[in-house]
Amino acid sequence: MTSNERIGQRSVGQGAALITGASTGIGAAIAEKLAARGAELVLVARDSARLEAVAERLRAEHRVAVLTVPLDLSRQDAPARLAKRLEDAGVEVGTLVNNAGAAHIGAVGDVDPARIRQLADLNAGAVAETTALFLPAMLARGRGAIVNVASTAAYAPAPHNAVYGASKAFVLSFTRGLWYETRGTGVRVVAVSPGATETPMNPGRAPGKRRPEQVAETVVAALRGRAPAVVDGWAYRLQTFVFGRVLPTRTATALTGRFFLRAARHVR
């Protein structure tokens, strides 16, 4: 019997940890941290080969059951299909980490409109729907946790990366609202906002850039805390404070726009 089969056929106690975007980067690092603490896992991502490679490593190193679900969460029916898959397998989700996301650096007028819709559906729509699908069972049990991975880009408008910034602002606002709604229920809700991190979406090292493992540590710490939103790394905490509360919106937007304009030129 495989690990995939076992997780669906035995009690998972406090519930498995469901992590989206788990095949690389921050998602894979979060899976590693939770597996090291003995959590059984449900890993979701589009790339089935990479996803299974992560699962096999975690099974071997940490002796935990891991279920992989290859799925493109930007598709309209994907969150509902995921929930049905886990229901049929008898999997109880105790911790939900909505990490899957994507960006497209460039001016909105230069991007395929269908691509804009796809990004918004993945970064914002899938997060809200997936949360709504798994939250009721957590509330009924009186325990659970939801981590929504936002971004420092959520704290100021992001010209030349406008869809990503706006979608992450949605995630941040949505999570803060949900945090208030769930106070006293036993369900922990928190948004974690990384800054620039070494991931396939943001490759290469640079001064100040964080590693996925550092972000994963922040996620684990945030689960133990009480705040509705946490920014990863002291430098990025300072940045979001200045951009979100000190600078006028026009100034913050101009500075952010210059940063992403340079990034767009580099991409081209």
Side-chain angles (χ1 to χ4, degrees), residues 80 86 148 162 214 251:
L86 299 189
N148 292 330
Q214 292 174 300
T251 303

Side-chain angles (χ1 to χ4, degrees), residues 6-265:
R6 286 200 304 271
I7 193 171
Q9 294 185 16
R10 73 181 188 207
S11 171
V12 292
Q14 293 294 311
L18 166 59
I19 306 167
T20 68
S23 60
T24 59
I26 293 172
I30 294 171
E32 171 72 36
K33 295 294 183 185
L34 295 181
R37 288 160 173 78
E40 295 181 325
L41 304 172
V42 179
L43 306 183
V44 181
R46 291 181 302 174
D47 190 324
S48 60
R50 286 185 177 181
L51 193 64
E52 190 55 38
V54 171
E56 287 293 345
R57 177 174 56 80
L58 296 178
R59 292 171 189 139
E61 293 181 3
H62 301 292
R63 309 304 298 171
V64 295
V66 184
L67 171 65
T68 58
V69 183
L71 192 64
D72 181 356
L73 285 167
S74 69
R75 296 179 62 89
Q76 289 289 307
D77 62 344
R81 287 171 55 200
L82 173 61
K84 183 64 164 59
R85 169 75 173 87
L86 299 189
E87 181 183 4
D88 290 345
V91 175
E92 174 190 293
V93 175
T95 300
L96 169 63
V97 182
N98 283 307
N99 168 73
H104 186 100
I105 296 178
V108 172
D110 296 333
V111 182
D112 180 354
R115 176 62 173 157
I116 288 177
R117 174 60 182 268
Q118 184 182 44
L119 290 172
D121 285 345
L122 174 62
N123 294 351
V127 170
E129 185 176 359
T130 303
T131 297
L133 284 164
F134 291 102
L135 176 62
M138 293 182 187
L139 293 173
R141 292 191 298 267
R143 65 177 185 270
I146 298 173
V147 179
N148 292 330
V149 178
S151 168
T152 55
Y155 288 82
H160 305 287
N161 203 7
V163 179
Y164 180 79
S167 62
K168 291 300 186 177
F170 172 92
V171 171
L172 179 61
S173 179
F174 172 74
T175 307
R176 284 170 163 166
L178 185 63
W179 170 86
Y180 190 89
E181 291 180 9
T182 55
R183 291 180 308 160
T185 64
V187 179
R188 169 72 175 129
V189 175
V190 62
V192 175
S193 293
T197 308
E198 297 168 19
T199 67
M201 190 173 74
N202 190 21
R205 294 191 175 186
K209 187 176 284 189
R210 302 280 283 177
R211 298 190 308 277
E213 295 78 14
Q214 292 174 300
V215 180
E217 285 287 0
T218 298
V219 168
V220 171
L223 283 168
R224 296 193 296 264
R226 295 183 178 180
V230 174
V231 176
D232 173 59
W234 70 266
Y236 289 116
R237 287 194 290 273
L238 177 60
Q239 174 189 304
T240 55
F241 176 80
V242 171
F243 276 60
R245 298 188 182 184
V246 177
L247 294 177
T249 300
R250 179 175 293 186
T251 303
T253 302
L255 292 172
T256 304
R258 289 172 192 167
F259 172 82
F260 284 117
L261 181 59
R262 289 195 299 271
R265 288 170 176 167

